[in-house]
Amino acid sequence: MSTITSPPPAVPPGRAVLDTRKESRKVAVGSFVGTTIEWYDYYLYGTAAALIFPAVFFPEDDPAIGVVKAFATYAVGFAARPLGGFIFGHYGDRIGRKTMLMLSLVLMGVSTFLIGLLPSYDAIGLWAPALLCLMRLIQGFAVGGEWGSAVVMAVEHAPKGRRGLFGSFPQLGVPAGLLISSGVFALVSSGLGQEAFTAWGWRIPFLLSAVLIIVGIVIRMAVAESPVFQELLDTDTRAEKPSREVIVHHWRNLLLTIGMKMFQNAVFYIYTVFMLAYIRDSLEMDYQVGLNAVMISSVVGFLTIPGWSWLSDKVGRKPVYLAGCVLGTLYFPFIFVIADTHSVLWVTLGMVIGANFLHDMVYGPQAVYFSELFGSKVRLSGASIGYQVGAMLSGGLAPLIAASLLAAQDGATWGISLYIVALGVISTVCTLLARETFREKF
């Protein structure tokens, strides 16, 4: 008697059978390279806002006020990030993750390139900072869609039991972009000298963005769409209005992700942006000390971000994330005590401890944790909106608030410490209220 066996599931027309392991690695590499390029563009602005833009776009101000105004334009980009997260999240859950990745990359590249062409305040007056703000808004809108799309793609392609590790690849784009932007900035400035660099050389790192964007587009074109989204597409089970559904039906997880994001994002931009100005202006040390500390921290991040993410695959997202919030909050006030030693070694070590061994405990698992808190139909919308609203409320304002507090308190730093500790308490409480997700079916 013969046995009748069912034929294997048919592959939908027009779709090739993928080597899932090979595709997972390809997506991981593509996510890393693409986010590296986007964050290069984004962090380049932060470095320039701390060191160059006060003189180029706000030359008539007192130096301290010029820094505050430059950080204000820096914060403008964060105002556009929730809008980017909302729109890119909605269409990423409706028409695909890959399309949104390509669009965000192009928008970021064009706006960064145009910053390198902007006339100075001396040339066109108030139009110069106005155009600078416009380009920063476009940058913020683009990065608002980039993070969620890249993270969800990497996590949804990940092999079983390794979502945390694979989710860290887009996160690695942050230290890589920071390292490259700081490195190019330092290389060009040291090669040209401070006078020539302030006059015109600062434009070179921004103009180089055009080359990097072309590389990113080529790499991302070779990446397949997320299998999770493809299944939603094949079965026609996508959410009709994913962003609205997140706000109406998943509001609790949305509020928790916003709160969980706040400490991490604020403390990161204090270490990597505000401290550059603090080291140069308040400590009166060579600004290269801050740039070098950021670059060293970026290199260490290549170990700590995937390391903490891998640990979250073993012991859970919540223990690692919670430990980072608590320890990072307790440590932060000591960064100014360490910096005030005026020791290059201690300044560098203090920033590495805060940014890598504590901040990265939160940032590493953040991608997979936020993704797992939302179902596949609204995953991109939920993760993106929560991440970007939290970033706007904390990271975008952190350097501006810190610079304002420093100026108002005649150089005292206790107000900055209280501000960051308050955010740390918020993130700790939200993490305690969030559920554990690492053993859940995806």
Side-chain angles (χ1 to χ4, degrees):
M1 185 175 179
S2 60
T3 302
I4 299 175
T5 58
S6 299
V11 177
R15 292 239 320 271
V17 178
L18 295 175
D19 180 337
T20 53
R21 262 186 208 177
K22 183 178 180 181
E23 192 62 28
S24 294
R25 291 192 294 267
K26 187 192 295 183
V27 170
V29 173
S31 296
F32 166 66
V33 173
T35 50
T36 295
I37 294 168
E38 291 239 13
W39 288 114
Y40 165 85
D41 291 348
Y42 205 69
Y43 290 139
L44 195 60
Y45 190 104
T47 305
L51 302 176
I52 297 297
F53 288 169
V56 175
F57 293 100
F58 308 100
E60 296 183 350
D61 291 310
D62 172 86
I65 302 302
V67 169
V68 170
K69 288 186 176 180
F71 282 153
T73 66
Y74 178 77
V76 162
F78 284 81
R81 284 174 64 166
L83 180 61
F86 187 93
I87 293 176
F88 279 87
H90 173 85
Y91 286 104
D93 282 326
R94 286 294 303 164
I95 66 177
R97 327 305 200 197
K98 182 177 176 179
T99 303
M100 297 301 102
L101 277 176
M102 299 295 290
L103 180 58
S104 67
L105 191 64
V106 172
L107 280 175
M108 178 64 83
V110 170
S111 58
T112 304
F113 181 80
L114 290 177
I115 288 174
L117 299 177
L118 287 180
S120 66
Y121 181 92
D122 290 339
I124 60 171
L126 291 175
W127 280 105
L131 290 172
L132 183 67
C133 284
L134 176 62
M135 294 302 104
R136 184 59 176 173
L137 279 170
I138 297 173
Q139 276 194 329
F141 180 78
V143 85
E146 164 66 23
W147 181 86
S149 303
V151 160
V152 168
M153 277 282 281
V155 170
E156 289 184 342
H157 272 281
K160 185 178 179 181
R162 303 177 71 187
R163 293 198 299 255
L165 179 61
F166 273 70
S168 72
F169 280 90
Q171 305 290 73
L172 284 172
V174 170
L178 190 57
L179 176 64
I180 296 172
S181 64
S182 300
V184 170
F185 212 84
L187 184 65
V188 176
S189 65
S190 61
L192 293 177
Q194 187 61 38
E195 186 176 343
F197 184 69
T198 302
W200 59 271
W202 65 269
R203 300 177 184 276
I204 295 174
F206 286 89
L207 298 177
L208 285 175
S209 176
V211 178
L212 297 177
I213 294 301
I214 294 172
V215 173
I217 289 173
V218 171
I219 291 174
R220 283 190 166 172
M221 285 180 66
V223 172
E225 181 57 88
S226 155
V228 175
F229 177 78
Q230 193 64 57
E231 183 179 350
L232 294 174
L233 194 63
D234 294 340
T235 57
D236 195 23
T237 53
R238 292 164 294 164
E240 284 296 320
K241 299 178 179 179
S243 292
R244 180 181 180 277
E245 188 170 320
V246 166
I247 295 170
V248 174
H249 299 294
H250 301 272
W251 58 268
R252 184 179 187 276
N253 282 337
L254 181 61
L255 290 177
L256 289 178
T257 54
I258 290 171
M260 291 165 69
K261 177 67 180 170
M262 293 182 73
F263 170 73
Q264 173 270 313
N265 210 229
V267 79
F268 178 78
Y269 286 105
I270 292 294
Y271 287 135
T272 60
V273 176
F274 171 76
M275 288 300 293
L276 297 180
Y278 181 78
I279 288 168
R280 182 194 63 183
D281 299 334
S282 297
L283 301 183
E284 297 183 343
M285 298 174 70
D286 189 333
Y287 74 90
Q288 198 69 45
V289 172
L291 282 177
N292 290 342
V294 168
M295 287 190 286
I296 291 170
S297 174
S298 300
V299 172
V300 177
F302 286 108
L303 298 175
T304 52
I305 289 177
W308 293 124
S309 302
W310 171 85
L311 185 62
S312 79
D313 281 332
K314 304 300 178 184
V315 304
R317 318 299 181 207
K318 193 167 183 174
V320 179
Y321 204 101
L322 186 60
C325 287
V326 173
L327 295 176
T329 301
L330 293 174
Y331 171 81
F332 182 80
F334 293 99
I335 188 62
F336 293 111
V337 177
I338 294 170
D340 288 347
T341 64
H342 290 76
S343 164
V344 174
L345 174 62
W346 281 109
V347 167
T348 304
L349 187 60
M351 289 177 65
V352 168
I353 292 172
N356 299 114
F357 293 100
L358 300 176
H359 162 272
D360 287 353
M361 290 178 74
V362 178
Y363 190 67
Q366 190 174 84
V368 68
Y369 205 176
F370 284 16
S371 298
E372 289 173 341
L373 283 168
F374 297 93
S376 58
K377 294 182 182 180
V378 297
R379 179 167 294 132
L380 184 48
S381 295
S384 292
I385 295 171
Y387 182 100
Q388 301 303 345
V389 171
M392 177 191 70
L393 295 175
S394 55
L397 296 175
L400 175 61
I401 291 174
S404 300
L405 287 171
L406 193 70
Q409 297 173 335
D410 295 325
T413 57
W414 60 266
I416 302 172
S417 294
L418 285 178
Y419 161 61
I420 296 298
V421 167
L423 294 181
V425 172
I426 292 172
S427 292
T428 299
V429 171
C430 288
T431 306
L432 285 169
L433 294 174
R435 74 180 193 274
E436 179 58 87
T437 59
F438 85 118
R439 294 194 187 278
E440 293 180 5
K441 185 177 179 181
F442 204 44

